[in-house]
Amino acid sequence: MKIEIFGKGCAKCERTEAIITATVKRLGIDAEIVHVRDLQEIVSRGVMVTPAVAIDGVMKITGRIPTESMVRQWFGK
């Protein structure tokens, strides 16, 4: 599983990465977490507002920090 976090590195993007990393660890999910910071890559993927999160290429959220419960729902937990 590949989880991508899109954002240039603002506080909201860093918080998003922390929430996802902690939740994935708590749930014991085997996933590669990648923080995409390159603006051209972010735009080419259709992200207009950050932070954004995609799991295996499917966009899950844009423009908001996800809660732990949201992240759990993405994994059916």
Side-chain angles (χ1 to χ4, degrees):
M1 173 182 304
K2 184 175 184 178
I3 302 170
E4 296 171 291
I5 301 158
F6 298 91
K8 297 272 297 170
C10 68
K12 289 181 180 181
C13 299
E14 297 300 326
R15 181 72 183 133
T16 297
E17 183 175 10
I19 290 168
I20 289 177
T21 300
T23 304
V24 164
K25 185 176 179 180
R26 268 190 215 104
L27 297 175
I29 294 171
D30 183 28
E32 173 188 11
I33 299 173
V34 178
H35 195 139
V36 180
R37 290 181 166 91
D38 180 65
L39 185 57
Q40 288 182 339
E41 174 68 15
I42 292 168
V43 172
S44 75
R45 297 288 297 278
V47 176
M48 295 296 142
V49 183
T50 61
V53 178
I55 299 175
D56 291 334
V58 177
M59 200 61 64
K60 295 295 185 178
I61 192 169
T62 61
R64 294 188 317 160
I65 300 172
T67 63
E68 182 177 335
S69 64
M70 291 170 103
V71 177
R72 286 176 172 271
Q73 287 178 351
W74 297 341
F75 300 117
K77 306 279 182 179

